[in-house]
Amino acid sequence: MTQILFKNIDMKDLTDIEVYEKQGGYQSLKKAFAQKPEEIVAMVKASGLRGRGGAGFPTGLKWSFLAKDVFPRYLCCNADESEPGTCKDRELLLKNPHMLIEGMILCSYACSIETGYIYMRGEFHDLSFIMDKALDEARAKGYLGKNIQGTGLNLDIHTHLGAGAYICGEESALLNSLEGGRGEPRMKPPFPAVEGLYAKPTVINNVETLCVVPYIVNEGAEKYAALGTEKSKGTKLVSVSGNVKRPGNYEIVMGTSTREIIYDLAGGIRDDNNLKAFIPGGSSVPMLPADQVDVAYDYESLAAAGTMLGSGALIVIDDKVDIVETTLRLISFYMHESCGKCVPCREGTRWLHQIVERILQHKGTLEHLTKMEDICDNMSFKTFCPLADACVAPVVSSIKHFRSDYEKYFKNIPTGSV
Amino acid sequence: MAGFTFSEKQEKEIDRIVAKYPFKKSAMLPLLTLVQRDERVVSPEAMVAISERLDCSPAYVQSVMSFYTMYHTEKVGKYMILFCINISCQLNGCDKLLEYTAQKLDIKVGGTTADDKFTLHREECLADCTNAPMMRINDTFYGELTEQRIDQILDSLS
Amino acid sequence: MSDNEITLTIDGKSVTVPKGTKVVDAAKQVNVDIPVFCYHEKIGPLGCCRMCLVEVEKMPKLMTACTMTVMPDMVVKTTTEKVEKAQNGVLEFTLLNHPLDCPVCDKGGECPLQDNTFKFGAPETRMEFDRHHNAKATPLSPVITIDRERCIACQRCTAYSERIEQSRDLVMLNRGFKNEVGTFNNQSYDTRFSGNVIDICPVGALTNTEFRFKARTWDLSNTETLCANCACNCNITMGTRLNELMRIEARPNDAVDDGWICDKGRWGHSFVKSKNKILTARENSRGNGGRPTSFPAFPHDCSLPEAVSKVAQAFKKIATEHGPQSVGFIGSPYASNEDGYLYQKLFRQGLGSNNIDHKTYQDTPGLPVNHYGVEQIESSNVVLLIASDPTEELPILDLRIKKAVTNCGTRLVSLNDQKIELDKQASLSVRYNVGSETLALDALTYGLAQELGESASAQGVDATGISAETMKTLVETVRSSMKICVVYNPAALSGGAVSAVKRLLAMIAKVPTLECGAIPAAPMTNAVGAMDMGLLPDFYPGGVSIGDQEEIQKQWGETAPTEKGLSALEMIARAEAGELKALLVHRSNPVLDFPGGSKVITALKKLDLLVVHDMLETETAELAHIVLPSNGPAYDEGTTTNIGGRVQARKQALTSELKPDWEIISLMLNALGDETSYQRASEVTDEIAQKVPGYQKIGRRSVGKAGCNREPITSIDEQVSTESAQVGAGEGLRLRVASFLFTHDKILDASSKLAHHFQPSTAHLHEEDAKKLGIQDGNAILLSVSNARLEATAKVDNRCQPGGVLVPKVSDEQEVNSLIGLQGGPTWVEVRKV
Ligand SMILES: Cc1cc2nc3c(=O)[nH]c(=O)nc-3n(C[C@H](O)[C@H](O)[C@H](O)COP(=O)(O)O)c2cc1C
Ligand code: SF4
Ligand code: FES
């Protein structure tokens, strides 16, 4: 399979700039600097690269939205990676920090940015040391600093650590957090491209997204766009976890069948159990039952199946698992991580939690399912940011596909005892 | 309130941190982190010191710090164990292992051992799902946990 | 329709609103009621409560009307099924953990949550679990109670603290459903403006501790009146029940207060029923050593009208016997225009005397530039504060300036002799040595003159402590501003510095590219009105100069006195000399508030007749032969003129058996042969409209609920003198008395709800001087002049420049004015450690 991001991932000492350079690292800069910044943006547009952080927004387009003639501008690399099931960015940061730096330099050149931050979740403190070392090396080599390679480009990049809040992965909450505030999301508009960090135009991209850029510049947009499906280009890192034999991060070409990922790459279901369900794109997307395992792993096919590619975290659930328990765990996560700013999210996650807890204590009734669906309806698309929708996804999909898991808790319950 | 003063070493570190940003308020989380790592707690006195350093109200510092789970208003143990209980780890049996760890340390989840050595917290997904079940102790990630491995790890920490 | 307007459709109704308007506000224009909790027009959108969801054509999701800005041809629907379901759902979430204790909640009857529940809520709750419990009523401060269980975490109050007050003392703590409103380390939330959170809380979470359980809101009668605590004249509602004042709330008026009031305005009203209230006319047998020879004794059951006419006749008698120069009047910058107007009429027309004044500093009516209203601050590029500390002196002005700086791009420049709170917002803070304001101002004027090629006397900066470079920046900042608003406090300017301000203003007016105006910002409630009403020895009402004989005779008759009278300080000096025989003091307390200390007492004791007309017992009333009662705020009726020249109505909220001041003065006028008989205060207002230039348009109608600006009074060039003063030199440190909002005085007495704000006497020193004097921060020190001394705690904080010592007036007891000489003017004090 084509490997772009993971090509050398397990190479010894890849974090060392010399080793990285030997593999062709930082070569893209020369190519890029020979072109106008707009041309780089156009190239990224042409590659069809879409954001790998979850929303899948076309990256080139995002870069072209920056407010004209407003400076300084900022680049924030989203390395918050907190979506349950997702651990691909961590692997990139841990093993190939220079690839990210290279990508960030390219983005900064393309967007006339002079300051970049890598916002890492607080739990990545160890990775920040690796990253800081890599940044120091890049500075020493003149890839960062003033007048980089005689281009007139000034750029510095700093790491910044969060401190334990899933919501800070949401781009506007990330900005608040980076500004030293509570990680509550911001009102949009204004969008970050217009008023982002310190109210200046800001690009926010996921680690994986930025890591792809050197390849595009080196090999050309066409080569990247030739990979994958019509609308989902290139490769994607998929974190396969849960009840599989070989959990791990795998780089796949967009459009690969999910069955192939689960059964070939990840070695199939552990203990020779059967597949019951899978969550294809991190905990925030609807789960699918086993009979859909042949769905192609790309944005469109997954959307057609009623779910999303999300952050690319494939969580595999076998038939020994009680879906109600899994769902409660996910609701509990969103309840814990709701910033509390808006009412439907703050109250809704908690209420759903109370109900499912009650069901698990065999004190629920069928009406609870109807009520849960109605609560979900009252939450979805009515909150300040998509966190509440993320909570709704597993609840609604679990009721839809695994109603019987719930129903077994209702047996022998005289109605009206609640 | 008795005052809190930054040590010389901390002052140096603070200067380095503040220099990263065009507005010093951005140093809020790094400063809180610095204090938390050095003191194992963020005391009200330290919040005042940070507020003075960053030119904001102490209430604001507390407001920010109370939003994030990695800051603690009660001193934590020398080893902070964050035990992931989210979905991938749950599917891999973390609940039993957490219970095992709590029993082994003879504390409740959320508590600290009498000798101040270990604090055990439940934690949401730590982004190491492919090594589930996993936990983080201070800066180190430990994956593919089993009861024996937990014994080994905890026993190796002095 | 202009470029700046947008037309859209809401529920089928077309509406045109200014660009940038939020959909909620646009809806109000066509009477469409979109429910809100977190949105507050003055605080701006938050998007937290999600109550305002509406459907917008072409948008897939419901949108929050509070965060959405209007767009051309937008079609908004607020009553569709989808919207109703969402509103129902959001309300259900909101009420999920709310205690529903409306029957015992102070907010009951005026609670948006209650109202919205009636209008948009589902009939019954589907919540089947225990509600989230939290602390019930606990004190958030000595004056505010918080009920965290009722809080719906809408964040209005914390956003207020962040965006309006800009202190961030009240914050959201924790995350998710553990979110709660709180303060640092559970300290009390105790700012100058904390009370506004009570008005804006949409539920009964933040309540007025004073008002708790005192009355149900629907049992109150509400009077729309003015705050009388400072010259902002904020609009308030006094809620009363059975003739008792229950609470004070803000009553938004954009032109004045922008919807906010300070805590002193809200809680500083204990004087209304103070035990020191003067309730009857009385002779003071002890006062001044017995009854004056010229005054016939009050009969045993003397009625108030009788007493009053006796007073008038006694003054007449003295004026006849010793000449009009022998009687004098010290009026009040706190009383209404009507009272001031009538009193000056009494002294000028009835007694032929111009010995009329209301202040101890120099000032003249009129400005060489526009008199700006306070809302002009928002549209100015530069606000230049001169000797002004709005935070302590005119608190609501502080909020307005902060708003201008953060929301309107206004640059704040402070030219002061002290550090002030607002320096934090200032883009340039220039500090001059205490007492050198005239030099500093003239240097600025000179700098501008040089740039403009105008003539002005050369003035260096050496003695001011300002560097030449800073002065240059200041000149440049002023010159290059497109619109400048100068805010100066005449009461804090020493000597003739107020003329220097006017020289400066006249020079600024010459900058061709500059729009300019000024706000004379003396803190006393009706300082501007008192000047306008001619409570001055050299000006008739409306700024008519004593020299303008023709105008005076036209308005006030052939016999109107036209020689300059005595200023207040001169009157005291003449009393001392035995030349002034009779003095009437209205709502003023020279013994304590004038310079001179014990010398004022000696002087007043020499008077043949001292009459004090006041609402509370004062040190001066104690010396008076005759004391007349005055009602005071909450009882008064009439108008006052605020710093922005806005005339507004003070309304009567409480009734009293006493006669209002205007009636007492009118009785005196009658006793002296004036035949006008006023039936109500507004008839005096009507006469003011007729007789006072600038007040032609003022009347009951025009003043209405929101007030109306009087025509500005333009000062005539010749009053702007060109000579410059020198700073004298003295021994010791130059004293500056500064303002403090919560002064422990007769208004904020010990029974006040704000007593916790009282401060001990402190003296602020520069570290250079402290070092020389061997004084350390926190030392007990003594400030002394020949015959007076003041104890204080030293604060070595460089609040003023070297050579100065700054003492905030924190209490009556402190008697700080006694350090100043009888003539006012510069004072040097010896400072030493005790
Ligand atoms: C609740 C929430 C959590 C998110 N967490 C992450 C995250 O951990 N990492 C990430 O890259 N993007 C995350 N996102 C997506 C970001 O908001 C944003 O879309 C992304 O960083 C943009 O980068 P991309 O265009 O390269 O994907 C999150 C979004 C939401 C709503
Ligand atoms: S106390 Fe009132 S204003 Fe403050 S958040 Fe709660 S409901 Fe809102
Ligand atoms: S956290 Fe975003 S809506 Fe609640």
Side-chain angles (χ1 to χ4, degrees), chain C residues 2-8 15-22 26 29 69-70:
Chain C
S2 80
D3 278 358
N4 287 322
E5 293 195 320
I6 280 175
T7 301
L8 68 158
V15 56
T16 303
V17 290
K19 238 183 190 167
T21 306
K22 299 293 173 203
Q29 308 278 315
T69 314
V70 291

Side-chain angles (χ1 to χ4, degrees), chain A residues 85 87 90 117 121 123 125 159-160 163-164 177-178 180-183 198 241 243 247-248 270 326 329 333, chain B residues 20-21 23 25-26 29 37 60 63 67-71 85-88 91-92 95 124-127 129 136:
Chain A
C87 51
R90 183 178 142 78
Y117 294 99
R121 56 182 300 176
E123 295 84 349
H125 211 109
T159 53
H160 181 96
S177 180
L178 182 45
R182 291 161 66 82
Y198 312 122
S241 69
N243 306 134
R270 190 175 290 170
T326 314
R329 193 56 58 98
F333 168 72
Chain B
K20 289 186 182 182
Y21 312 98
F23 299 95
K25 230 163 257 165
S26 276
L29 266 50
R37 285 170 78 90
Y60 184 63
S63 165
F67 186 87
Y68 298 94
T69 53
M70 290 177 69
Y71 305 125
I85 47 92
N86 212 298
I87 179 159
S88 305
L91 293 171
N92 285 292
D95 291 0
E124 295 302 350
C125 176
L126 285 159
C129 320
R136 175 182 184 258

Side-chain angles (χ1 to χ4, degrees), chain C residues 527-662:
Chain C
V528 172
M531 302 266 282
D532 287 355
M533 292 306 120
L535 291 185
L536 294 164
D538 44 1
F539 287 89
Y540 270 72
V544 175
S545 163
I546 212 89
D548 197 349
Q549 295 220 359
E550 201 181 311
E551 178 66 29
I552 290 173
Q553 282 173 357
K554 198 171 93 200
Q555 233 5 301
W556 302 93
E558 296 292 314
T559 54
T562 50
E563 76 258 36
K564 187 173 178 299
L566 300 173
S567 73
L569 290 178
E570 285 165 347
M571 283 185 243
I572 304 291
R574 293 296 171 87
E576 160 82 63
E579 290 163 26
L580 189 83
K581 305 279 180 204
L583 181 65
L584 200 154
V585 177
H586 182 221
R587 290 200 194 171
S588 173
N589 186 10
V591 171
L592 205 87
D593 294 337
F594 279 29
S598 60
K599 290 199 180 139
V600 177
I601 299 178
T602 320
L604 294 181
K605 279 194 172 161
K606 291 196 176 159
L607 289 165
D608 279 0
L609 176 61
L610 175 62
V611 177
V612 170
H613 181 192
D614 210 333
M615 60 171 186
L616 298 173
E617 295 292 354
T618 64
E619 292 76 359
T620 309
E622 218 170 282
L623 299 177
H625 301 99
I626 309 293
V627 177
L628 299 176
S630 165
N631 269 319
Y635 303 92
D636 281 345
E637 268 196 308
T639 61
T640 53
T641 309
N642 85 346
I643 48 170
R646 196 173 190 83
V647 185
Q648 307 182 88
R650 231 184 229 185
K651 300 254 176 62
Q652 186 179 2
L654 297 174
T655 58
S656 122
E657 282 169 11
L658 301 180
K659 285 199 181 307
D661 290 12
W662 60 266

